[in-house]
Amino acid sequence: MSRTQPDLEAFSAAAIAIVGEDAVLSRGHLDEYTDPFPVGDPDEFATAAVVRPGSVEEVSQIVRSAGEHGIHLWPISRGRNNGYGGRSPRTPGSVVIDLSRMNRVLEIDPVGGTALVEPGVSFAEFAEALRASGAPFWASVPDLSWGSVIGNALERGLGYTEYGDHNSQVCGMEVVLADGEVVRTGMGAMSGSRTWQLYRGGFGPAVDGIFAQSNLGIVTKMGLWLMPAPQAWAAVDIGVSEFDDLEQLIDTVRPLKFNGTIQSTVVIGDPIGVAAFSGPRSTWQEDHGTLAPGVQERIMAHYGVGRWTMTFAVYGDDELVAARVAAVRRAFSASLPLATVTVTNYAGDASTDDIAPHHRVRAGIPGMYAEKLSYWFGGRGGHVSFAPVLPIDGAKALAQVRELQERFNAAGFDYCGAFTITGRSMVHVTEVLFDRDDAEQVARGRTLVRDLIGTVADDGYGEYRGHVAFMDRIAGTFDWNDGALGRLHTRLKDALDPHGVLAPGKQGVWPSAMQDHRETPSR
């Protein structure tokens, strides 16, 4: 069966009948649905219209109508995926289906330590609902509290507590498929299930994973596991003064993370990131050339940070926290005796005002302190993220930093990077910071990221996430067995969504009928 020719006018009329006129936006009202930090012409990934359903029933009807009228939909939870394309669709001319009206925290289980939420729930809203419930559990939050709890988990986003690997805390989903059918995964597939948010497996093949970073369905509900509120906790900040100390910093923390001494995610950042979180680049250097010798040292002295600063937290009762901190001190005093180790102890029920602002995310307290990062170069700031995954290996990390720093500087950008360690790997999140009104600078940034994708792939590393402009290129680097994984993705897409109703091209996944839209992958 061939795809119906697109009829936006007929679809819009049908959408108005489903969700109401106020919940359908058309040209002239779409400014909020463009990439806030475009890496070229903002119309490259332009939205044709927006539909804002308020229930799963409306989502299902909208999806069915899109199929009937030949429309591509681009689902967003809240659309705060800035640095990766924001609310812009990979396929221009798509209709954004904005789920932000579906913003209910449906359930908080104070015994099982779970929650059930809709896609429009922000981290700020979720943390407040959890606090108001009185349940003895914490949320886990990323740097910016305006994002969607569901959207972040689906994109494999990271927070800062023991439960900071957000995708790993998912337990049960409700999903609208491309034909409008609604399914529940895991134990939720049983009518009246009392264990939907408690047991992931269900009965038979588990399918939850195919909906992460996916265009195979629209997630309308998600279950989450919550971190038990500790009696006490401590924030640990470790600074080293030399660039090459990064290697030993990582190699020392690795066994502490593996053996459970350190429970939270571990972050290692550089001075430029600290400065960019606080204000514009002009504070330190007026011209746009790469930072002059001595500037990083001035930043370090001003903020009291190291050439690299590692941050993490440990949790438990008073005795456990003390034991964990003692183990950390022993390890770092042996490997890096000149490192500065600062420990700040907190009660588990400490108020927000009693916790240092830069430590609050370690207690699941949301904030917006990282928002200034994008405005490093002044003007109408912007950034695009480049984030390969590495082993927790100091020598390999140091080698990649040297390579990327050289490439960033050659392209006229400051290297701004951080490592986030979870499980058995770490994500090297780097930010290409630019002034979006400087077209030449933006073009240089786009070329830099495009080229780096191939560079790190040649070294055996791939990205965990990517901007819509680079999704095909990143997908093309996953090329083992002549791209067998990509072919499997296409087979799944063809089975569930052969006409590309849902987000065609997301993560480089296209149905067979739309392969001509794919950017030819090459390194």
Side-chain angles (χ1 to χ4, degrees):
M1 181 179 175
S2 61
R3 175 174 176 251
T4 303
Q5 287 299 307
D7 189 339
L8 181 61
E9 184 176 352
F11 170 76
S12 297
I16 288 171
I18 295 167
V19 301
E21 189 170 2
D22 291 344
V24 178
L25 308 178
S26 58
R27 294 198 180 278
H29 303 279
L30 303 178
D31 289 349
E32 293 183 8
Y33 292 87
T34 59
D35 186 351
F37 309 137
V39 292
D41 184 351
D43 290 335
E44 180 181 5
F45 303 106
T47 299
V50 176
V51 180
R52 304 181 68 237
S55 67
V56 63
E57 293 78 14
E58 290 182 354
V59 173
S60 177
Q61 292 177 61
I62 288 295
V63 169
R64 292 182 194 276
S65 181
E68 292 168 1
H69 295 99
I71 298 299
H72 302 305
L73 297 175
W74 183 259
I76 63 171
S77 297
R78 290 182 59 84
R80 296 297 187 178
N81 205 18
N82 296 347
Y84 297 102
R87 296 170 174 172
S88 293
R90 169 61 185 88
T91 300
S94 297
V95 172
V96 168
I97 180 167
D98 178 355
L99 307 177
S100 61
R101 288 179 58 211
M102 298 171 63
N103 61 351
R104 294 178 298 167
V105 177
L106 297 166
E107 181 181 336
I108 294 173
D109 180 353
V111 177
T114 67
L116 182 67
V117 300
E118 291 184 323
V121 176
S122 71
F123 284 98
E125 291 166 339
F126 181 59
E128 174 56 27
L130 188 56
R131 185 201 64 76
S133 76
F137 295 92
W138 280 3
S140 178
V141 300
D143 293 304
L144 298 170
S145 63
W146 59 11
S148 162
V149 174
I150 286 183
N152 184 272
L154 291 176
E155 290 298 316
R156 306 192 182 109
L158 301 171
Y160 295 94
T161 67
E162 183 177 356
Y163 282 36
D165 185 347
H166 293 161
N167 188 259
S168 295
Q169 312 312 323
V170 174
C171 187
M173 300 179 187
E174 179 183 84
V175 185
V176 178
L177 301 179
D179 61 359
E181 183 170 25
V182 183
V183 299
R184 289 184 173 179
T185 68
M187 302 306 287
M190 173 187 287
S191 298
S193 173
R194 297 184 179 184
T195 55
W196 188 16
Q197 278 75 64
L198 299 175
Y199 178 68
R200 292 190 179 102
F203 185 77
V207 298
D208 301 65
I210 68 171
F211 299 111
Q213 289 194 1
S214 169
N215 57 8
L216 300 177
I218 299 175
V219 177
T220 51
K221 293 183 180 67
M222 178 182 285
L224 300 165
W225 289 357
L226 307 175
M227 175 182 164
Q231 179 193 88
W233 64 285
V236 182
D237 302 286
I238 301 175
V240 293
S241 59
E242 301 299 325
F243 180 85
D244 288 351
D245 287 343
L246 175 67
E247 180 174 349
Q248 195 59 57
L249 198 61
I250 290 172
D251 289 344
T252 302
V253 84
R254 181 178 59 246
L256 297 171
K257 183 65 179 161
F258 284 4
N259 68 22
T261 299
I262 297 171
Q263 303 126 295
S264 75
T265 53
V266 177
V267 176
I268 306 170
D270 72 343
I272 293 178
V274 175
F277 280 158
S278 304
R281 191 177 189 271
S282 58
T283 303
W284 308 100
Q285 182 171 306
E286 286 291 342
D287 68 78
H288 281 194
T290 53
L291 291 177
V295 172
Q296 294 218 44
E297 288 72 17
R298 286 198 289 123
I299 293 173
M300 291 163 59
H302 180 81
Y303 290 106
V305 297
R307 180 59 185 81
W308 298 101
T309 301
M310 173 182 283
T311 64
F312 55 85
V314 295
Y315 309 94
D317 58 27
D318 291 330
E319 187 176 355
L320 274 174
V321 169
R324 294 180 194 280
V325 168
V328 168
R329 288 190 183 277
R330 284 195 302 271
F332 282 94
S333 65
S335 65
L336 287 164
L338 298 181
T340 301
V341 180
T342 304
V343 177
T344 309
N345 288 288
Y346 296 104
D349 59 357
S351 69
T352 299
D353 290 341
D354 290 334
I355 301 173
H358 62 291
H359 290 158
R360 289 172 186 167
V361 290
R362 298 286 176 189
I365 298 171
M368 291 292 293
Y369 75 93
E371 188 178 11
K372 292 181 180 178
L373 174 73
S374 302
Y375 301 95
W376 177 239
F377 270 102
R380 292 196 308 148
H383 74 277
V384 59
S385 300
F386 174 73
V389 179
L390 275 71
I392 308 172
D393 183 302
K396 291 180 173 63
L398 187 61
Q400 188 172 89
V401 171
R402 290 188 185 281
E403 182 174 32
L404 265 59
Q405 187 175 53
E406 181 178 340
R407 297 288 293 275
F408 269 62
N409 291 168
F413 294 95
D414 306 315
Y415 165 84
C416 178
F419 294 90
T420 301
I421 299 174
T422 61
R424 292 296 188 271
S425 64
M426 58 186 182
V427 181
H428 185 189
V429 181
T430 65
E431 304 290 356
V432 179
L433 305 170
F434 54 79
D435 177 354
R436 56 189 143 149
D437 291 323
D438 185 338
E440 189 273 335
Q441 187 186 49
V442 173
R444 278 190 282 114
R446 181 170 183 156
T447 299
L448 172 63
V449 173
R450 178 181 171 81
D451 291 347
L452 285 176
I453 293 166
T455 297
V456 300
D458 289 342
D459 293 335
Y461 304 121
E463 286 196 83
Y464 94 114
R465 202 165 167 185
H467 191 283
V468 292
F470 308 116
M471 285 180 172
D472 286 335
R473 186 167 178 80
I474 295 169
T477 65
F478 289 77
D479 57 0
W480 182 83
N481 194 16
D482 196 29
L485 179 62
R487 292 195 299 276
L488 175 59
H489 288 160
T490 297
R491 291 166 67 184
L492 290 169
K493 187 67 171 171
D494 285 347
L496 294 175
D497 185 15
H499 304 308
V501 173
L502 301 181
K506 178 171 171 57
Q507 253 63 25
V509 178
W510 302 88
S512 294
M514 296 184 67
Q515 290 297 311
D516 59 334
H517 289 67
R518 181 193 302 274
E519 177 187 349
T520 303
S522 65
R523 291 193 185 182

